[in-house]
């Protein structure tokens, strides 16, 4: 066997060796075709609109279009399950909230996905707090006066509305009730719109909703703000105190949006997506668009996303068990 033959054989074998050593994405230059971003909510909501803003910008960063696909239903379970079953190649992504990753596991006994084993965070892109709201004519202006109202025997079991049983709003209400040692009656609605309509109409005295959903009604004076649940004051409502500032540090939770992929991404794909997403959220125009939807933009990487899920899971399970919270 002469030297020239050995040289040619080595040249022919090299691509096969590289394919065995390096992930497929490194060979093909991910992405080579459009990426799907699944939104597990109906079209038109804040997550859907925010997701479309991120998808368009992410497509520009990646050099391929990112197509939004709405797969709503069952409290994000339908869309999340679809992504969890997809190939871990970076072409099917999910954008969702804590509902998918920490709330559903706490309120649903049988869940067709595992929030840790089946998903790989790419990054958290934005957050929005939740807010305790009151009808304008209810004589409550802060947490102290709310507690006086709720402890009055004539207001026993004070009702509060939310956008659904087993939602983040429900969890905030029950966490506050437990921390304050009061009895509240949860009234579950199917979405923010009917809950807000009944609050404005006076059918319920209080509700808990996202800052994003409440902002238009607060600006119009149709409802009033009592306290926000986020660890810090909302940038949209700087004059509204947090529950923590009002003496209840146990009530410090918000809603966050995370982009995630099926677990098992090739390292190169994970790195490419993480950098592209960080660059998207650093873009002033994208930040402005997210702010317009009531989200406070801010990028947290994959490790921070993993840590947040692992931190919140036991907290949400403890609240759900204590208050006997069940999914609709």
């Amino acid at each position: 066997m002469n030297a020239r033959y050995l040289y040619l054989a080595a040249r022919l074998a090299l691509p096969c060796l590289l394919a065995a050593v390096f992930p497929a994405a490194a060979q093909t230059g991910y992405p080579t075709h459009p990426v799907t971003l699944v939104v597990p909510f109906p079209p038109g909501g804040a997550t859907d609109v925010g997701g479309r803003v991120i998808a368009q910008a992410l497509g520009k960063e990646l050099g391929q279009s990112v197509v939004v696909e709405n797969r709503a239903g069952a409290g994000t379970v339908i869309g999340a399950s679809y992504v969890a079953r997809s190939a871990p190649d970076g072409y099917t992504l999910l954008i969702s909230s804590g509902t998918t990753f920490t709330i559903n596991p706490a309120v649903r006994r049988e869940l067709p996905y595992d929030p840790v084993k089946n998903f790989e965070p790419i990054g958290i892109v934005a957050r929005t707090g939740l807010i305790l709201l009151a009808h304008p004519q209810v004589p409550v202006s802060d947490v102290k006066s709310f507690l006086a109202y709720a402890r009055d025997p004539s207001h026993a079991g004070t009702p509060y509305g939310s956008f659904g049983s087993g939602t983040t709003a429900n969890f905030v209400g029950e966490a506050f009730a437990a921390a304050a040692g009061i009895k509240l009656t949860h009234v579950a609605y199917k979405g923010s719109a009917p809950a807000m309509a009944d609050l404005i109409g006076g059918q319920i005295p209080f509700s808990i909703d996202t800052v994003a959903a409440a902002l238009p009604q607060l600006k119009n004076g149709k409802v009033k703000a009592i306290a926000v649940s986020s660890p810090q004051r909302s940038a949209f409502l700087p004059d509204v105190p947090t529950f923590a500032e009002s003496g209840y540090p146990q009530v410090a939770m918000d809603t966050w949006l995370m982009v995630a992929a099926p677990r098992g991404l090739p390292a190169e794909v994970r790195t490419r997506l993480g950098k592209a997403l960080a660059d998207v959220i650093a873009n002033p125009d994208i930040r402005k668009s997210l702010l317009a939807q009531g989200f406070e933009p801010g990028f947290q990487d994959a490790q921070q996303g993993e840590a947040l899920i692992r931190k919140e899971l036991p907290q949400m399970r403890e609240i759900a068990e204590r208050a006997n919270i069940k999914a609709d």
Side-chain angles (χ1 to χ4, degrees):
M1 188 178 292
N2 59 38
R4 179 175 176 76
Y5 178 83
L6 289 173
Y7 172 77
L8 290 173
R11 287 286 302 272
L12 290 171
L14 184 59
C16 296
L17 290 171
L18 288 174
V21 173
F22 296 102
Q27 309 303 309
T28 58
Y30 170 87
T32 60
H33 58 82
V35 174
T36 296
L37 180 65
V38 173
V39 175
F41 296 97
T47 301
D48 176 64
V49 175
R52 290 176 188 277
V53 169
I54 289 169
Q56 184 176 13
L58 186 60
K60 291 179 180 178
E61 291 289 338
L62 294 175
Q64 285 283 349
S65 61
V66 177
V67 181
V68 171
E69 184 175 316
N70 295 91
R71 287 181 174 262
T76 79
V77 171
I78 291 175
S81 299
Y82 173 80
V83 175
R85 295 192 302 267
S86 298
D89 54 11
Y91 288 99
T92 305
L93 307 175
L94 176 74
I95 183 166
S96 193
S97 63
T99 297
T100 295
F101 303 102
T102 61
I103 298 294
N104 282 340
V107 299
R108 296 176 184 269
R109 287 189 176 182
E110 295 183 6
L111 199 60
Y113 65 82
D114 184 289
V116 175
K117 294 179 180 179
N118 295 141
F119 289 105
E120 190 162 336
I122 303 301
I124 296 170
V125 296
R127 309 179 84 113
T128 183
L130 290 109
I131 184 167
L132 175 60
L133 303 165
H135 185 276
Q137 294 182 5
V138 176
V140 167
S141 58
D142 53 23
V143 168
K144 182 178 179 180
S145 56
F146 176 90
L147 292 176
Y149 181 97
R151 287 170 176 154
D152 186 320
S154 65
H155 301 142
T158 296
Y160 74 95
S162 84
F163 46 84
S165 180
T167 61
T168 49
N170 186 186
F171 272 71
V172 167
E174 297 307 321
F176 177 45
I182 58 175
K183 173 64 178 176
L184 299 177
T185 301
H186 178 231
V187 183
Y189 290 83
K190 292 191 178 299
S192 289
M196 188 66 73
D198 271 9
L199 178 64
I200 293 171
Q203 280 74 35
I204 51 174
F206 305 101
S207 77
I208 297 175
D209 212 326
T210 63
V211 170
L215 275 175
Q217 309 306 332
L218 286 167
K219 290 178 180 178
N220 292 332
K222 293 183 177 180
V223 298
K224 58 183 177 181
I226 307 302
V228 293
S229 69
S230 48
Q232 294 83 33
R233 292 194 182 197
S234 169
F236 300 102
L237 301 166
D239 296 329
V240 179
T242 65
F243 282 99
E245 287 178 293
S246 304
Y248 297 93
Q250 309 94 317
V251 189
M253 61 184 79
D254 57 8
T255 293
W256 37 270
L257 284 184
M258 176 186 286
V259 174
R263 178 70 67 179
L265 285 180
E268 290 83 358
V269 174
R270 187 189 317 115
T271 299
R272 180 81 192 280
L273 282 170
K275 183 181 184 308
L277 194 59
D279 289 344
V280 164
I281 303 306
N283 185 315
D285 291 334
I286 302 305
R287 296 176 70 86
K288 184 177 179 180
S289 295
L290 290 173
L291 284 166
Q293 298 304 317
F295 290 111
E296 298 184 40
F299 184 75
Q300 292 178 278
D301 65 20
Q303 287 186 332
Q304 291 170 304
E306 293 265 14
L308 180 61
I309 291 173
R310 293 181 184 276
K311 175 186 174 184
E312 284 196 3
L313 270 171
Q315 295 174 340
M316 298 302 106
R317 285 176 172 140
E318 191 274 331
I319 294 171
E321 183 176 354
R322 183 182 63 233
N324 194 31
I325 300 175
K326 306 291 183 184
D328 283 333

